[in-house]
Each structure stands twice: as C-alpha cells, then as structure tokens.
Amino acid sequence: MNPSDARIVLTGATGGIGRETAAAFIGAGASVLLVGRSAAQLSALSRSIQATATGTAAHIKWQVADLGEAAPVDELVAVATEWRCNVLVHAAGVPCFGALETVDAETMRRVLDINLLAPMRLTQALLPHLRAQGRAQVICLGSALGRIGLPGFSIYSASKFGLRGFAEALRRELSGTGIRVQYVGPRSTRTSFNNAAVEAYNAATGTAMDSPRRVAEALLRSLQDGAAERFIGFPERLAVRINGAVPTLLDGSFDKHRRSVPLPSADGALSTQRSAPPGVSSPIESSGVPR
Ligand SMILES: NC(=O)c1ccc[n+]([C@@H]2O[C@H](COP(=O)([O-])OP(=O)(O)OC[C@H]3O[C@@H](n4cnc5c(N)ncnc54)[C@H](OP(=O)(O)O)[C@@H]3O)[C@@H](O)[C@H]2O)c1
C-alpha cells in the first residue's frame, strides 16, 4: 500500500522498534495511531515526531491500551474503527530468555498472552472493519525465532512460531478479500528488549544485532510491497530457509548457543559453565544466531 493511503494502528509504539517505525511511517506520509501503555510516553513520542516531521500533526493520534486487558482493547477497537484504520501493525511484545526450568508460569502466560493471543484478539476484533475498507493490511512483527527454535528461547520461540502460523493461516483464509496478512522476522535488535543475559549470549555466540531503524525500514517496505514474509539479515535468512525445509538438519548447529544459556546449579545460582562437547562448529553456529 502507498504509505499516504495508510491509516496505521501501531501497537508497541513506545518500544525501541516501535518509535523508529512510527517515525518511518509518518515520514513516508502515513497516518499513525500510536498504541502503548503510558500516556506520558505516547504524548512525548507524538510531540517529538511532530517536531521533526513538519506538517504531520493531523497524521498522529495516540491511545493508551494494555493489550492484556479486555476493556482497554475494546476501547482501542472503537477508537481505531472511528478513526478508519486500514493497517494493523502488531509490534508490542515481551521477551523471555532462559533455560525452560528457570521460567515461571506467570512469565510463560504473559509471553504467550502479549506476543500471541493479543494480536489474535485485536485482529479478530478489527476484522469486520478491515473487511469494509476494501484494501487492508495486518503486519505481524515476529522474529527469526518464529522460524528457528534456539536454546534459551523455548517460550519466546513458541509465541513467535504461533504468531507466524496465525499470520500464514489467516493470509490464506483472507485471500481474495483485499486484506493482506504479513509477517516480518527481525534478528536480534539493539533495544532494551534484550537484557544483559541476552547480550552476553549474543556476544558468546557471535550474534549480530541490528539497529531498530533497520527493522523500521523493513516494516515500511512490507507496508509498501505487501510481502507475505520478510526476514532480516544474513545468515539468518538462509538459516530460516534451511530450517523451514529440513529442521533436523540444523539440530547439531547450536552447541555454542546451548552452552551459553545460564542453567541453575544445585545451590540455585545461574551459570553457563558447561563442558564443550567435542566437534566442530557448523557454518550456522560460527556465524551467529537469529533472534
Ligand atoms: N529487540 C529485539 O531483539 C527483537 C528481535 C526480534 C523481534 N522483536 C520483536 O519486536 C517487537 C518490539 O520489540 P522492541 O525491541 O521494540 O521491544 P521494547 O523496546 O521492549 O518495546 C516493547 C513494546 O511492547 C509494548 N508492550 C509490552 N507489553 C504490553 C502490554 N501488555 N500492552 C501493550 N503494550 C505492551 C511496550 O509498551 P510499554 O512502553 O507500555 O511497555 C513497548 O511499546 C516485539 O514484538 C519483539 O518480540 C524484537
């Protein structure tokens, strides 16, 4: 879609990727409804974009909504409908890194709720309105980890694999309706989403990290070209293809990653001191990790 025709609901607008994406969309001529949980942050973001992109006041609106709560989401749906949105970008998300036995039940629930169920609920609620627009797009910001499962990311990967499955099935379900459903999978990106443990894992495994601007540019391209799926970075794009075709082929490629996941010891402390198994790193392992 031409950005100047786009009226975009952007969740996660206050995040590291969301802020850059909002600026990129507005800069390309789109209208954006910023969604986050903090009125102060949304208002400051709206002001700062307006200060740098002249003549955009009419194109920015914001709405507070905790996507894990029913009433604020109902209100968001009403506002977005009234505002006549025709694009939905799901960029809100929560991280989860650690060995499975270190993840508590509440964290598991929250990750699946915000990363997977929230986009499903919001898309469903806005679908009648999007159908009525004639042409519309739903862009799911997933992850390379929605195509490749990595040690330390079992819960996060489950949420992003789920999101990718949702996007793929819904794209096929809505084929011919004028609504395009898309998935964008960045690799690791420099935002506060990644804590010190993830940064240590990235350093230990030689994982490249992108700027949030690079992800924002990919989202803008996906808005413009309607690509069903877009993954960012090499060798991640190659790994995504191999893993999609023959997942077991890569099973032996992630020993370095497995050894870099902190594991609880008998006294409860976390440590990554695990003996390295014999063998040689695969090309995928030695060139980093998708995220
Ligand atoms: N950074 C990476 O390495 C990376 C890589 C691949 C994919 N991604 C994906 O990219 C997306 C954005 O990541 P980011 O790096 O920008 O993360 P971030 O800086 O932590 O931002 C997360 C965004 O999600 C919002 N959010 C979290 N919980 C919410 C809730 N309950 N209701 C409404 N909004 C909520 C946050 O809003 P508040 O400001 O209100 O907290 C914030 O706007 C996520 O879906 C993530 O999975 C990130």
Side-chain angles (χ1 to χ4, degrees), residues 9-285:
V9 172
L10 174 64
T11 74
T14 49
I17 292 173
R19 285 193 296 269
E20 290 286 347
T21 303
F25 284 161
I26 295 276
S31 299
V32 181
L33 173 54
L34 310 167
V35 182
R37 285 176 298 177
S38 157
Q41 283 188 39
L42 287 165
S43 149
L45 175 63
S46 166
R47 280 197 309 275
S48 89
I49 294 176
Q50 285 178 30
T52 49
T54 49
T56 57
H59 303 302
I60 306 183
K61 189 177 166 67
W62 54 265
Q63 177 71 23
V64 173
D66 184 329
L67 299 172
E69 303 290 330
V73 172
D74 288 347
E75 202 178 325
L76 170 62
V77 169
V79 168
T81 301
E82 164 85 20
W83 185 71
R84 292 181 292 107
C85 77
N86 56 5
V87 178
L88 182 50
V89 177
H90 296 294
V94 290
C96 186
F97 172 67
L100 180 60
E101 58 266 55
T102 67
V103 182
D104 60 67
E106 172 52 26
T107 302
M108 270 189 209
R109 190 201 60 74
R110 189 164 41 85
V111 171
L112 290 170
D113 193 42
I114 300 305
N115 293 3
L116 178 57
L117 291 173
M120 290 162 67
R121 286 190 295 255
L122 188 55
T123 306
Q124 184 186 49
L126 279 169
L127 204 47
H129 167 77
L130 294 176
R131 280 185 194 272
Q133 301 313 297
R135 278 187 68 215
Q137 284 171 244
V138 177
I139 305 178
C140 299
L141 182 53
S143 165
L145 294 190
R147 267 284 190 189
I148 304 169
L150 284 188
F153 290 100
S154 56
I155 306 303
Y156 181 76
S157 257
S159 72
K160 296 296 186 176
F161 265 68
L163 185 64
R164 193 179 54 76
F166 171 70
E168 182 178 286
L170 191 62
R171 178 169 55 254
R172 292 168 182 173
E173 184 174 316
L174 296 179
S175 170
T177 65
I179 303 175
R180 184 80 174 148
V181 186
Q182 302 163 256
Y183 183 87
V184 174
R187 59 183 176 183
S188 204
T189 307
R190 265 177 248 103
T191 72
S192 56
F193 196 77
N194 297 308
N195 63 17
V198 175
E199 291 197 349
Y201 176 96
N202 284 348
T205 55
T207 299
M209 293 183 83
D210 286 320
S211 69
R213 177 160 301 187
R214 184 167 184 193
V215 181
E217 284 163 0
L219 285 164
L220 178 58
R221 270 200 306 284
S222 291
L223 172 72
Q224 292 167 316
D225 68 13
E229 290 194 344
R230 169 167 274 119
F231 290 90
I232 303 170
F234 187 87
E236 285 78 4
R237 281 200 302 274
L238 174 64
V240 157
R241 281 173 180 265
I242 297 172
N243 203 62
V246 197
T248 50
L249 207 62
L250 296 183
D251 278 359
S253 297
F254 298 111
D255 284 336
K256 199 191 287 181
H257 301 80
R258 184 175 52 76
R259 294 195 303 273
S260 303
V261 178
L263 256 191
S265 57
D267 63 3
L270 290 175
S271 153
T272 56
Q273 302 302 312
R274 287 192 243 175
S275 56
V280 181
S281 295
S282 77
I284 295 291
E285 178 174 24

